[in-house]
Amino acid sequence: MQSVNLVLIGLLSIVMSRFVSGKSKSHSSGIKHSPSKVRWKSTIDMIEDENYPVENVYVTTPDGYILNIHRIPHAKYGRRNGKVAYLQHGASGSSSDWIYFGPKNALGFILADEGYDVWLGNTRGNTYSRNHTILNPDTDVEFWDYTWHEMGVFDIPSIIDHILEKTGTDGVYYVGHSQGSTVFYVMASMKPEYNKKIKTHISLAPIVYLSHLKSPILRVLAASEKHFSELFRRAGVYELLPNRGDLVAIAKEVCPSIIGNVLCQNILYMLVGFSPKQMNFNRVPLDHMPAGTGMKVFMHFIQEIRSKKFCRYDYGTSGNMKKYGQTSPPNYDLKKITAPVYIIYSENDMLYATEDIEKLFKELPNRQEKLLITDRLWGHLDFLYGKDAPKFVYNEIVMIFGQQ
Ligand SMILES: *[C@@H]1O[C@H](CO)[C@@H](O)[C@H](O)[C@H]1NC(C)=O
């Protein structure tokens, strides 16, 4: 274990040194990009390639972020069941997570085939939503001054209101993966009036309580959270892992080589977890994932690991006093969540343990069911990239939504 830690710290140092020495704020890096044979395809391109109807939609939040979200309004031959599904990606993901593996394999297409009007969110700061009415993400550091708290309070309610207005429905069938569920819990507790706009929420691998987090890399980071945030602040790093950034460019060059492949797989495994039986590492869409986020978003998660609470961002004693009128950040009040909630989780997720899920589930007033994936190796990313995800997870989602 000690040697694993040493290797990790070594790797992290390499990563950090890139950040510190590199011009990490700008997208023009010193890395030579190998010319790729295929043109980069957006979510819209990929849906059009499959001959499904698709719409490009812009939603502006009350604090000025312009979110570019996507919609598959119905199945190929116009089949509709009158229900509206809203799929929300995880940290550093994007709308492409729900369509990448194509019809019959990806949840977005599966729900469209069932007749759902399918909306795919993109939260502030990712590939599609690096946009603001006043701020410029490349030059204004204020653009990156948010966490998943602001996504839950501004982005998700704005997206849902837009969906309700455009479709005339009175509630959405909401699936959130990872941070896509975190933002649901933030919204439903901070803005309880939104509970009635949710027909059913299904959390896949929800990130709420992280007390039993297993990921060794994130444990190391959590242990020295203050140093890391200071280091990043000094280095002027506000954006984390944009898809055209330095680190991703390195990953794209290193991961396909034989040794690099083993290294990348291990890093990804230790970060979040996946089952080698389920996920073919070479199928991970490195041209779409990671899709970028803000550094502060990541630090808010890191704080949860240490605090063992589901609470607002910790600004330190005096900062908290100013912001919240108390010395420690207030908890999110899960008792206010009245929307029906289902949780689908697994045992080999590096980000939480069964105890964390049980604690969350117990606190939800309108809990329905928590479903454990029977494959004991199933991990965090298998919900999106696992070859049996349609069989184990998406079928279940279609059944749950079908009953409501
Ligand atoms: C920003 O949003 C506007 C829509 O309000 C859109 O026309 C523009 O293309 C977007 N810019 C970027 C860089 O996404």
Side-chain angles (χ1 to χ4, degrees):
M1 197 56 210
Q2 197 52 36
S3 59
V4 172
N5 274 340
L6 284 177
V7 171
L8 282 177
I9 289 166
L11 285 172
L12 280 170
S13 322
I14 296 170
V15 167
M16 297 302 157
S17 64
R18 283 299 314 179
F19 270 124
V20 176
S21 61
K23 303 172 289 303
S24 29
K25 258 192 292 186
S26 95
H27 273 195
S28 54
S29 69
I31 302 280
K32 197 172 112 264
H33 291 259
S34 27
S36 79
K37 282 173 227 81
V38 281
R39 174 177 76 87
W40 184 79
K41 286 185 175 171
S42 68
T43 299
I44 292 273
D45 296 333
M46 289 188 281
I47 296 171
E48 275 176 349
D49 283 355
E50 302 294 348
N51 297 313
Y52 278 67
V54 64
E55 286 174 22
N56 204 27
V57 178
Y58 291 99
V59 176
T60 305
T61 67
D63 57 346
Y65 288 81
I66 301 169
L67 313 175
N68 180 4
I69 67 173
H70 301 115
R71 177 190 192 188
I72 311 174
H74 54 79
K76 252 185 184 167
Y77 305 107
R79 185 171 165 227
R80 289 177 169 89
N81 71 359
K83 294 178 172 179
V84 179
Y86 165 42
L87 312 184
Q88 184 51 55
H89 65 77
S92 217
S94 75
S95 54
S96 69
D97 289 350
W98 305 108
I99 51 104
Y100 191 82
F101 290 116
K104 306 259 184 289
N105 291 315
L107 183 61
F109 288 119
I110 289 173
L111 287 173
D113 288 342
E114 291 286 321
Y116 286 84
D117 178 354
V118 181
W119 294 71
L120 312 169
N122 280 305
T123 42
R124 56 183 66 193
N126 87 350
T127 308
Y128 298 99
S129 298
R130 275 178 111 263
N131 202 352
H132 192 279
T133 50
I134 303 164
L135 299 171
N136 177 345
D138 291 325
T139 51
D140 298 321
V141 298
E142 299 91 334
F143 179 91
W144 302 102
D145 188 16
Y146 61 79
T147 83
W148 36 264
H149 173 80
E150 283 76 13
M151 297 177 189
V153 169
F154 297 122
D155 297 3
I156 312 304
S158 297
I159 292 173
I160 288 176
D161 283 338
H162 187 92
I163 296 175
L164 298 193
E165 190 197 312
K166 282 283 174 289
T167 62
T169 186
D170 60 346
V172 297
Y173 292 82
Y174 181 152
V175 181
H177 174 241
S178 187
Q179 177 189 275
S181 66
T182 317
V183 292
F184 162 78
Y185 294 105
V186 171
M187 175 186 73
S189 59
M190 295 294 296
K191 300 192 143 191
E193 66 276 20
Y194 277 83
N195 281 290
K196 62 176 192 302
K197 302 181 182 184
I198 310 289
K199 293 279 186 197
T200 302
H201 170 80
I202 303 180
S203 282
L204 308 180
I207 300 304
V208 170
Y209 291 117
L210 300 174
S211 325
H212 298 85
L213 169 130
K214 290 168 271 185
S215 164
I217 299 182
L218 297 180
R219 280 223 170 274
V220 170
L221 278 173
S224 35
E225 174 229 324
K226 293 251 149 40
H227 300 287
F228 279 111
S229 36
E230 182 58 19
L231 183 65
F232 286 126
R233 200 185 58 74
R234 280 211 206 147
V237 176
Y238 299 95
E239 184 176 13
L240 185 66
L241 297 174
N243 204 270
R244 287 163 188 75
D246 288 3
L247 259 183
V248 175
I250 295 173
K252 279 178 196 163
E253 298 220 344
V254 170
C255 296
S257 72
I258 295 171
I259 294 173
N261 201 279
V262 175
L263 191 71
C264 295
Q265 285 201 44
N266 276 295
I267 292 177
L268 196 60
Y269 184 85
M270 286 188 286
L271 261 175
V272 288
F274 61 88
S275 162
K277 274 197 317 208
Q278 285 298 329
M279 197 176 91
N280 175 353
F281 181 75
N282 297 317
R283 281 179 76 206
V284 174
L286 278 178
D287 48 345
H288 290 273
M289 207 255 345
T293 189
M295 183 53 77
K296 195 172 164 191
V297 180
F298 179 66
M299 294 321 293
H300 196 174
F301 279 125
I302 293 289
Q303 289 181 353
E304 306 262 288
I305 302 169
R306 293 190 71 191
S307 73
K308 304 192 192 312
K309 289 179 183 162
F310 183 46
C311 64
R312 305 217 13 210
Y313 194 83
D314 189 348
Y315 290 95
T317 313
S318 62
N320 291 336
M321 211 52 211
K322 242 189 271 160
K323 184 121 182 134
Y324 313 119
Q326 56 187 70
T327 53
S328 58
N331 289 344
Y332 293 103
D333 186 2
L334 298 179
K335 288 277 167 294
K336 296 206 170 123
I337 303 180
T338 53
V341 176
Y342 290 79
I343 294 177
I344 308 182
Y345 69 110
S346 67
E347 284 180 343
N348 193 35
D349 199 312
M350 291 288 137
L351 300 184
Y352 56 77
T354 308
E355 295 94 309
D356 294 316
I357 298 294
E358 278 163 2
K359 180 169 156 62
L360 164 65
F361 192 65
K362 225 169 48 206
E363 291 179 17
L364 296 171
N366 197 0
R367 55 187 173 273
Q368 300 296 312
E369 263 188 277
K370 61 177 162 56
L371 305 152
L372 176 66
I373 305 270
T374 49
D375 178 350
R376 300 202 58 182
L377 289 178
W378 194 274
H380 199 70
L381 290 178
D382 297 317
F383 287 93
L384 296 177
Y385 307 134
K387 71 173 163 40
D388 291 324
K391 198 165 79 193
F392 289 174
V393 184
Y394 307 157
N395 268 353
E396 199 65 49
I397 293 174
V398 168
M399 254 160 42
I400 294 171
F401 284 170
Q403 293 161 358
Q404 316 290 316

